[in-house]
Amino acid sequence: MIPWLSDNTPFPPLNKALDDPNGLLAAGGTLNQGRLLDAYRRGIFPWYSPGEPILWWSPDPRCVLIPEQLHVSRSLKKQMRSQTYEVCFDRNFPAVIDACAAPRSASAGTWITREMRQSYIELHKSGYAHSVEMYQEGEIVGGLYGLALGKLFFGESMFSRRSNASKIAFVHLVEQLKKWGYALIDCQVSNPHLFSLGACEIPRQEFEDYLQRYLNVPHNHHWDFEPDLFRKE
């Protein structure tokens, strides 16, 4: 059994998370800004479907990407150099989360509920949540969003409307985070898409060590700009 959270109930220790399903820690509570920030700072994230209570997770192992270990295939580099596109940060956060929330197939639903959408938009307005957008001919064709706390980035979701658009946006993000001295990108749960870019799995305890070391490291950079990676002359 997992604990049911009221609005003020603290999260249980991460070692209380279930093995099956992997990482399920608690249910209930709210998605207000204080609760969400507390969750991420403890290595916990919400993930649930419409009609379910809020479910809180901390899987073991944890999928992460160390910026210096980013892998960009030769074919992806070629595509990035040959295509005409624009990548921006924080230009249109609501459009990115709406695109991520859209069903990926005719029969698929979405885990980004209306409540979750509004909560992350509020986090964006407060300077915690950020988006990366890829545009072609003025149309947004790919992107991702997540949270930045200290020198850690917590990835939430990504989308593509053109081949490899989310990968290209992710590469721009990782290269920029590398310049800013970020230590780790939390990818939460592994998949082949992330592994192809250099992600790996680490034990939960090692992930907690990253939280302790880098959550409170200050930063003085701004997000609302266009990165110059692979920009054509």
Side-chain angles (χ1 to χ4, degrees):
M1 297 292 291
I2 58 172
W4 181 267
L5 307 180
S6 66
D7 289 353
N8 299 315
T9 308
F11 286 110
L14 299 192
N15 61 12
K16 299 297 184 180
L18 299 181
D19 294 328
D20 185 19
N22 180 16
L24 182 58
L25 180 68
T30 65
L31 291 177
N32 64 46
Q33 182 166 290
R35 174 66 86 175
L36 282 169
L37 291 176
D38 182 48
Y40 282 95
R41 287 176 174 137
R42 295 175 183 272
I44 303 164
F45 59 88
W47 185 29
Y48 62 104
S49 298
E52 294 181 342
I54 301 170
L55 300 178
W56 301 94
W57 302 79
S58 182
D60 186 14
R62 189 84 167 212
C63 183
V64 302
L65 188 140
I66 298 169
E68 288 75 17
Q69 295 180 4
L70 173 69
H71 172 72
V72 185
S73 67
R74 185 176 301 176
S75 61
L76 186 58
K77 286 181 180 179
K78 183 178 179 180
Q79 182 179 356
M80 294 177 72
R81 294 187 183 278
S82 63
Q83 288 189 352
T84 301
Y85 64 87
E86 178 185 19
V87 172
C88 300
F89 291 1
D90 279 1
R91 176 181 289 183
N92 196 337
F93 185 92
V96 172
I97 197 169
D98 286 347
C100 289
R104 306 300 168 96
S105 68
S107 61
T110 178
W111 58 269
I112 302 175
T113 64
R114 180 179 301 179
E115 180 185 18
M116 184 172 283
R117 175 188 184 277
Q118 187 57 43
S119 296
Y120 282 84
I121 288 176
E122 291 301 318
L123 285 171
H124 172 65
K125 291 177 179 178
S126 298
Y128 296 106
H130 303 282
S131 61
V132 184
E133 305 104 37
M134 176 178 164
Y135 294 86
Q136 284 187 316
E137 299 177 349
E139 176 188 359
I140 186 169
V141 297
L144 61 97
Y145 75 96
L147 274 68
L149 299 173
K151 290 291 186 178
L152 302 171
F153 187 86
F154 300 81
E156 273 298 309
S157 187
M158 57 178 62
F159 77 99
S160 285
R161 293 173 178 161
R162 303 276 174 85
S163 175
N164 287 329
S166 63
K167 281 189 176 183
I168 292 173
F170 185 74
V171 168
H172 279 269
L173 170 67
V174 176
E175 292 292 354
Q176 191 60 56
L177 294 180
K178 189 189 306 184
K179 293 178 182 179
W180 286 337
Y182 276 62
L184 194 75
I185 298 169
D186 174 28
C187 302
Q188 299 180 348
V189 180
S190 61
N191 61 52
H193 180 86
L194 293 168
F195 284 151
S196 72
L197 291 163
C200 63
E201 292 183 327
I202 62 174
R204 183 194 290 130
Q205 183 58 59
E206 185 175 345
F207 182 69
E208 290 185 77
D209 292 342
Y210 273 98
L211 296 176
Q212 293 177 7
R213 291 177 59 189
Y214 295 104
L215 265 180
N216 297 315
V217 178
H219 60 74
N220 58 0
H221 58 77
H222 300 283
W223 282 84
D224 52 345
F225 76 104
E226 179 184 348
D228 58 3
L229 178 67
F230 298 128
R231 182 179 294 167
K232 297 177 177 63
E233 298 296 336

